[in-house]
Amino acid sequence: MRTLTAIFTACIIFASAASAGDLYRVELKSPLDAAVVKSMNVNVLLRADNTCLLLVEKHEAHFLNTSGLEHSLLATDIHRNQLAIDRRSDRKNAAVFKVLYEKDQFRLLLVDWDAAKIAGSKVEIFPLPDMEVDVKYQEPVLGVTPQMAFSALEDLQLLMDRVSQDSLESYVGRLVAFYRRLTGTTSNYAARDWISSKFREFGYDSVVTDPFTGARLWDRTPCAAANVIAYKPGTVYPNQHIIIGGHFDAVPESPGADDNASGTAAVLECARILADIETNMTIIFIAFDSEESGLLGATHYVEGAVERNDDIVLMINADMIAHFENSDKADVYSNGQNVYAQLWDQLGNAYVGIDADLGGMGASDHWPFQMAGYDVIFVQEKIFSTVYHTENDKTAYMDFEYMTRMVKATLATAYSTNASPPPVRIAALEEPGDGHSFVVHWNRIDAPTIARYELSYYSMLSPLDITAIDFGPEDTSFVIDGLTEGQEYCVSVLAYDNSDLTSIKTRSYYFTPRSLPAAPFDVLAMPLKDAVRLTWAYSNAELDFDHCAVLRDGVEITQTLDTFFVDDDAALGSSLHDYRVVAVDTDGNLSDTLSIAPFGARAATLALGRILAVNRTQVYSNDFVDEKETGEYMRLVLDGYDYDYFSDTTAVSGYRDCNSVELNDMIDYELVVIGAETARYEDIGVNPVLHGLLDTLGYYLSIGGKVIIFGRWGTVGGINFCDYTTTAWTYDDGYHDLFHIGGRFLTPTPWEYGSSYLPADLVGARSRLTAYPHLVWDSLATVSHSTSQDIAITDVAGIPCATYVRVDSSKADIIYRYHSRNNSDWEGQPVAWRYFGDDYSYVFFDIPLSFFGRDMATAALRQAVDEILSGAPSDGENPDDPGTGELPVSFALSQNYPNPFNPSTRIDIALPQACHVRLEVFNILGQRVARLLDREMQPGNYDVYWDGSGVASGLYLYRLRAGSFEQSKKMILVR
């Protein structure tokens, strides 16, 4: 029998949070399949019914291939950044982009965002939301007729009769009058405030405008956005929630009548009718913002709901329910266990003459709820609008009589679900460890209407052989005995009310009795200075669990109840050791040690004076760079030092197998020197699956390593700017968090393919410190570097593909400044800087040193090496350093940028004279939340960054006191 522990292992010394690799489709055939997927080091992109899409790194593909999971390869060499959700319900985008996966009206697309210039164009796709997907197996429930309370059936017709077509027309007309309702615009904010006022007009006391960072179409510029939420507390089951939602934002050029004033109007009308009607469950009405730019409002709400552990019984999403060509059909999508969709279909047929076609997916605000594991239904017109996302999406193309019936069926579904007892959550499954019993704990529903509970269980090998046991309303646990070891069982608990009615849906849970304790999982062994740190997780399900034991090379070295251990044995040396973590029960039984591979790790020696030189030039491309030239320069500089040389530059077409420098290669050295002179391709901060090193360098620095980097990342074409405070992916965060770069400017290099002329502008680097010589561009070195080009470059005007950076000069010392041929905007900008702190040290040259005069460039890099190894940075300002221009003539405090921001922002200050400087941040109560500067500073212009990750959204004040100067400004943090 396949077991979970048999396939769990760890194979890499350093795991990145970034997701990329090969795209697989996996079919879940059992609960064990779901557990296997959860245990693997893969990124789950989405789950549709019992289908999961996974991004699997190449070096982990063999674990999937040996897992026993039914899977198929959809695409290779995929980054998560390349994936997009098709916003259209027709197949227009399918003719433009490659469709990787399609189900119902949902399509996952492969997109080259840069090449297609999609970020600034009118293309109706959006990036795949980055959220954790709940992976679970769902038993088929097709053919089940939903139960409804008789009292609810009596009320339904009266309830539906209250739905007013006039009200719906009025709501839609008013929303359309808010011109375009584009997220981040005044019309959108006005519509938001009007929706909030309508909720209050209906009598709701608890109405919340919940802010978050949205995106404005079509360029998806970050902007302030907000959901509007009204709460109606339940009187019987207040902790169980039903959500009725729809989005109110629209796209540019469209009035947004059917999309989605119709769905928002449905939410408002349901709220109006239920305002004075007592409900058993808490009903939450949500008008979502920023749906069109990526389901951002719904994703924001779901993230909070998961964190709060909200018990959401059902989320109903209405999006486009009124196109005039419809009369008696609708599409209703759900998440596999579609009993709620069947309920909508049943009520629609019985009461309003609308028959629903049931499906499993769709790209709208229900999607984040579905991915998080909540039950959803998505209600949409059957014949899709012919004027969707155009200037003609007006009320003239809507059938309000059809829309009224759609709202009636939706309201009836919500009310019927509310009238039944909620599904019972199983709180815990505990394993006695005897192989034949299990303990089930469930959450008691604290309501006088609950008469009894019924616990049912069966073996997955005999699903029709069900055992059912009744319990009283106060009972919350039971020991199931007489089970067969190693067999998987399904258990559920139903609550019956005083009318002998149970919930519309049953929640199923799975367990397997065992006599051996379950093995710890997520085991990770990482090097520390002269030690190895192990972390792991383990299940507390076994009642006879005693402790975890750590084994090194097969020998137990400690017993612990913690989930971490530092092995600092003096005998570790630099050898590779095999580590296992096992669970031990009270009888001394150990978890599986045979089928789970050990984790290999070794201690970091960080030997003083030892240097690792890593040549990463040409990792992807040989554009304007010859790897051999870079290597010769590195060897010249390091001649006489104790160094090893590593070439990490094997160029191939496409992506390479895993042969890059890794953390284990670095940990025997005090200093790593990296040459990354590739011209126009990012080489360090890219996705680790493409051999990016930033995460690895961050860990190396954290354990005491030191780093020197020289290189560049430029562009061919117009100027570009990478803002490291706002990028959506995490793998380049180290540029800001470690190397103090707020952003990088990529200066243009127009390359005329038909000639040998390559205009460029960087002709030198001016030293700010006396210990570092000025650098002068060597035109012959540039030509020599470029001899590998298909088109020989013989005439150049400077170093091509140059960069300069925006550095937080309150933390890092500027070493070199850009010397431009003729551009005053670039002249004097930082191109090299250093940081010597108690926590770590580095020197960063954002210039290709081997392109400069060899003697001067050699002296500069040697100076950096000597400073790093000695721990003594040179001082003394260069008297002929031109700086960035004239010193400021007056004190100044700039408005922070970006504003609003999430979570980081930049504040520029100007100091015309030396003085004591204090820069602080306060909340609106006047409480200081951060002190950014408090020291003597020299005259100049400074960029200061604040990371607001640890504080709440809201308005903040920042105040500068410099000498006798004092000024304050406001800024807004939105999440």
Side-chain angles (χ1 to χ4, degrees):
M1 182 181 189
R2 208 160 36 95
T3 64
L4 175 60
T5 55
I7 67 136
F8 178 79
T9 189
C11 68
I12 54 175
I13 191 67
F14 187 81
S16 167
S19 301
D22 295 339
L23 181 65
Y24 288 87
R25 172 176 175 169
V26 172
E27 299 297 332
L28 304 180
K29 300 294 186 180
S30 70
L32 179 59
D33 286 353
V36 168
V37 171
K38 287 182 179 180
S39 74
M40 300 178 71
N41 185 29
V42 296
N43 187 277
V44 183
L45 301 180
L46 61 88
R47 178 179 61 84
D49 300 342
N50 283 321
T51 298
C52 291
L53 295 192
L54 313 179
L55 265 180
V56 182
E57 296 187 21
K58 290 181 182 296
H59 61 265
E60 297 204 343
H62 68 282
F63 295 115
L64 178 62
N65 294 331
T66 59
S67 66
L69 295 169
E70 181 180 316
H71 65 281
S72 57
L73 180 65
L74 300 182
T76 60
D77 297 327
I78 300 295
H79 319 199
R80 188 185 181 104
N81 298 343
Q82 295 176 290
L83 300 175
I85 293 178
D86 191 351
R87 191 63 190 89
R88 299 191 64 87
S89 293
D90 56 27
R91 293 186 55 80
K92 179 179 179 181
N93 284 329
V96 179
F97 307 104
K98 183 177 181 180
V99 179
L100 298 179
Y101 176 75
E102 185 169 8
K103 181 176 178 61
D104 300 319
Q105 289 190 4
F106 178 89
R107 279 178 293 276
L108 185 68
L109 307 175
L110 178 64
V111 176
D112 186 343
W113 294 87
D114 291 332
K117 299 186 184 302
I118 289 171
S121 63
K122 183 181 177 181
V123 179
E124 296 174 64
I125 62 177
F126 55 75
L128 183 71
D130 188 7
M131 62 177 297
E132 186 173 348
V133 177
D134 180 62
V135 179
K136 61 184 177 184
Y137 172 74
Q138 299 197 108
E139 290 185 277
V141 293
L142 295 175
V144 175
T145 301
Q147 284 185 293
M148 287 180 288
F150 182 74
S151 58
L153 288 172
E154 286 185 316
D155 295 339
L156 282 183
Q157 189 61 61
L158 294 174
L159 192 71
M160 288 187 287
D161 287 345
R162 298 181 63 178
V163 176
S164 167
Q165 181 173 326
D166 289 342
S167 293
L168 293 171
E169 291 190 43
S170 173
Y171 302 149
V172 171
R174 186 65 189 90
L175 285 165
V176 170
F178 293 110
Y179 184 74
R180 302 302 186 251
R181 305 194 307 282
L182 182 64
T183 299
T185 62
T186 55
S187 63
N188 174 279
Y189 300 152
R192 174 197 67 194
D193 295 342
W194 177 80
I195 294 168
S196 177
S197 69
K198 293 303 291 183
F199 282 140
R200 296 183 189 280
E201 178 186 314
F202 297 153
Y204 290 94
D205 296 327
S206 183
V207 179
V208 175
T209 299
D210 183 22
F212 63 92
T213 300
R216 182 182 302 166
L217 297 176
W218 291 104
D219 61 1
R220 295 183 174 83
T221 302
C223 60
N227 298 327
V228 185
I229 309 172
Y231 296 87
K232 178 177 179 56
T235 59
V236 181
Y237 313 117
N239 295 325
Q240 282 72 38
H241 302 168
I242 295 173
I243 294 175
I244 304 175
H247 74 90
F248 67 92
D249 62 307
V251 300
E253 298 94 36
S254 176
D258 191 28
D259 183 22
N260 186 29
S262 64
T264 304
V267 175
L268 289 171
E269 184 66 351
C270 290
R272 182 186 70 83
I273 293 169
L274 292 176
D276 59 354
I277 296 175
E278 188 175 280
T279 57
N280 293 344
M281 298 182 192
T282 294
I283 313 293
I284 303 175
F285 307 95
I286 308 179
F288 294 107
D289 196 358
S290 208
E291 188 267 359
E292 298 287 3
S293 45
L295 316 179
L296 301 181
T299 301
H300 167 72
Y301 185 88
V302 168
E303 288 172 346
V306 170
E307 185 176 345
R308 295 186 299 267
N309 197 30
D310 288 355
D311 191 349
I312 299 175
V313 175
L314 176 64
M315 189 273 175
I316 305 176
N317 178 40
D319 189 352
M320 301 181 64
I321 57 173
H323 184 55
F324 76 102
E325 295 179 288
N326 291 274
S327 62
D328 59 358
K329 295 284 288 185
D331 277 329
V332 177
Y333 301 103
S334 62
N335 53 334
Q337 287 200 359
N338 59 5
V339 65
Y340 295 113
Q342 292 179 30
L343 175 61
W344 194 102
D345 183 36
Q346 179 180 331
L347 294 169
N349 274 287
Y351 288 94
V352 296
I354 296 180
D355 180 51
D357 288 339
L358 307 184
M361 285 289 281
S364 187
D365 284 316
H366 66 291
W367 195 87
F369 290 86
Q370 182 173 342
M371 293 304 104
Y374 297 116
D375 285 302
V376 303
I377 57 173
F378 168 31
V379 181
Q380 190 172 65
E381 60 208 23
K382 179 62 182 177
I383 301 175
F384 195 72
S385 172
T386 55
V387 294
Y388 162 80
H389 279 197
T390 72
E391 66 277 5
N392 289 322
D393 185 10
K394 304 174 182 178
T395 55
Y397 291 89
M398 295 176 64
D399 182 338
F400 284 99
E401 189 277 333
Y402 169 76
M403 176 184 173
T404 301
R405 288 184 285 130
M406 293 281 279
V407 174
K408 287 182 177 182
T410 300
L411 175 63
T413 301
Y415 186 77
S416 299
T417 302
N418 143 85
S420 302
V424 178
R425 278 189 175 185
I426 289 183
L429 293 168
E430 295 179 326
E431 185 177 357
D434 53 21
H436 59 76
S437 67
F438 234 88
V439 185
V440 181
H441 300 270
W442 59 89
N443 288 336
R444 176 179 173 271
I445 300 174
D446 187 16
T449 56
I450 300 301
R452 62 187 176 93
Y453 295 101
E454 179 186 82
L455 182 147
S456 301
Y457 68 93
Y458 58 85
S459 168
M460 295 296 288
L461 299 178
S462 305
L464 299 180
D465 186 12
I466 301 173
T467 300
I469 307 170
D470 281 349
F471 297 92
E474 304 298 325
D475 291 327
T476 57
S477 65
F478 179 68
V479 179
I480 305 176
D481 208 346
L483 305 173
T484 302
E485 182 167 4
Q487 283 193 16
E488 191 168 32
Y489 290 83
C490 177
V491 63
S492 61
V493 178
L494 293 175
Y496 286 81
D497 66 12
N498 295 324
S499 301
D500 209 35
L501 182 74
T502 189
S503 63
I504 293 176
K505 179 190 170 179
T506 301
R507 287 173 173 162
S508 299
Y509 300 80
Y510 305 90
F511 64 88
T512 303
R514 293 167 297 204
S515 56
L516 296 180
F521 53 94
D522 289 348
V523 179
L524 183 65
M526 296 293 287
L528 299 175
K529 179 68 168 71
D530 298 323
V532 174
R533 187 179 193 273
L534 292 101
T535 59
W536 62 89
Y538 63 85
S539 170
N540 289 314
E542 294 97 345
L543 296 177
D544 63 344
F545 170 81
D546 189 70
H547 64 271
C548 286
V550 177
L551 284 65
R552 185 209 314 135
D553 300 327
V555 178
E556 181 180 295
I557 57 175
T558 192
Q559 297 180 2
T560 180
L561 292 174
D562 289 325
T563 55
F564 69 93
F565 173 70
V566 175
D567 182 10
D568 55 0
D569 192 322
L572 284 177
S574 59
S575 301
L576 185 69
H577 300 281
D578 285 341
Y579 288 92
R580 282 188 171 93
V581 182
V582 297
V584 185
D585 65 18
T586 53
D587 296 324
N589 296 315
L590 274 64
S591 58
D592 181 19
T593 59
L594 297 178
S595 60
I596 302 178
F599 204 115
R602 60 193 186 91
T605 59
L606 302 177
L608 294 178
R610 292 200 68 199
I611 302 172
L612 176 64
V614 181
N615 186 349
R616 287 178 63 80
T617 300
Q618 278 192 6
V619 165
Y620 304 117
S621 167
N622 57 5
D623 282 355
F624 320 136
V625 184
D626 184 346
E627 178 252 349
K628 293 180 181 178
E629 295 268 352
T630 305
E632 290 176 2
Y633 167 71
M634 297 182 77
R635 292 186 182 94
L636 174 65
V637 171
L638 297 176
D639 184 33
Y641 294 92
D642 181 7
Y643 81 97
D644 291 319
Y645 178 83
F646 186 95
S647 176
D648 197 24
T649 61
T650 304
V652 300
S653 58
Y655 308 134
R656 296 190 290 120
D657 291 331
C658 192
N659 61 349
S660 294
V661 66
E662 296 179 348
L663 184 65
N664 260 347
D665 301 318
M666 302 179 182
I667 58 178
D668 292 331
Y669 301 89
E670 178 185 6
L671 169 63
V672 174
V673 179
I674 297 175
E677 295 190 316
T678 300
R680 56 180 179 147
Y681 292 92
E682 164 66 296
D683 186 35
I684 293 177
V686 292
N687 197 315
V689 81
L690 300 179
H691 312 293
L693 277 182
L694 205 53
D695 284 353
T696 306
L697 292 176
Y699 188 84
Y700 173 71
L701 288 169
S702 75
I703 62 175
K706 302 168 184 177
V707 172
I708 297 176
I709 296 172
F710 69 92
R712 55 160 174 189
W713 169 35
T715 186
V716 171
I719 192 168
N720 195 8
F721 176 66
C722 298
D723 188 342
Y724 296 119
T725 67
T726 60
T727 53
W729 42 88
T730 60
Y731 44 75
D732 65 1
D733 287 352
Y735 277 138
H736 174 264
D737 298 339
L738 295 171
F739 295 112
H740 307 112
I741 310 176
R744 178 183 268 123
F745 289 86
L746 315 179
T747 67
T749 301
W751 183 11
E752 299 177 10
Y753 281 84
S755 71
S756 63
Y757 182 68
L758 190 142
D761 186 76
L762 179 64
V763 295
R766 298 295 180 85
S767 171
R768 181 180 170 274
L769 303 173
T770 55
Y772 287 86
H774 292 312
L775 303 179
V776 178
W777 160 63
D778 184 342
S779 60
L780 293 179
T782 299
V783 173
S784 176
H785 261 300
S786 306
T787 56
S788 58
Q789 296 301 301
D790 293 335
I791 301 175
I793 297 175
T794 59
D795 183 14
V796 292
I799 298 178
C801 299
T803 67
Y804 62 87
V805 296
R806 180 178 289 155
V807 176
D808 186 347
S809 56
S810 66
K811 297 178 181 177
D813 295 326
I814 305 301
I815 301 176
Y816 281 106
R817 302 185 189 277
Y818 194 117
H819 181 37
S820 168
R821 176 174 293 278
N822 53 22
N823 193 303
S824 59
D825 291 335
W826 307 340
E827 182 68 35
Q829 297 294 339
V831 293
W833 62 100
R834 68 185 182 187
Y835 173 76
F836 282 73
D838 295 334
D839 44 357
Y840 62 96
S841 302
Y842 72 80
V843 179
F844 203 125
F845 299 90
D846 210 37
I847 45 178
L849 288 174
S850 70
F851 283 66
F852 292 87
R854 189 55 51 94
D855 291 344
M856 294 175 289
T858 299
L861 187 50
R862 278 181 170 269
Q863 177 64 32
V865 172
D866 291 340
E867 288 184 0
I868 283 282
L869 293 181
S870 67
S874 61
D875 55 12
E877 294 190 1
N878 202 326
D880 57 347
D881 171 26
T884 58
E886 296 296 327
L887 289 175
V889 297
S890 61
F891 289 99
L893 175 67
S894 72
Q895 183 62 51
N896 66 300
Y897 177 83
N899 189 43
F901 64 96
N902 177 25
S904 298
T905 190
R906 189 187 85 243
I907 302 168
D908 298 339
I909 63 173
L911 307 177
Q913 62 191 43
C915 59
H916 188 274
V917 178
R918 179 175 293 177
L919 181 61
E920 299 170 301
V921 181
F922 301 87
N923 61 23
I924 57 175
L925 299 178
Q927 300 166 321
R928 187 177 66 229
V929 297
R931 177 172 288 171
L932 307 180
L933 293 173
D934 189 8
R935 62 184 175 89
E936 296 292 327
M937 297 181 68
Q938 295 301 309
N941 298 289
Y942 295 89
D943 301 337
V944 184
Y945 289 84
W946 181 47
D947 185 344
S949 299
V951 299
S953 299
L955 176 67
Y956 290 88
L957 302 176
Y958 58 100
R959 182 178 66 196
L960 173 67
R961 287 179 174 172
S964 60
F965 176 81
E966 181 174 333
Q967 188 176 10
S968 299
K969 290 182 181 292
K970 300 176 182 178
M971 57 183 171
I972 300 175
L973 171 61
V974 295
R975 299 193 187 280

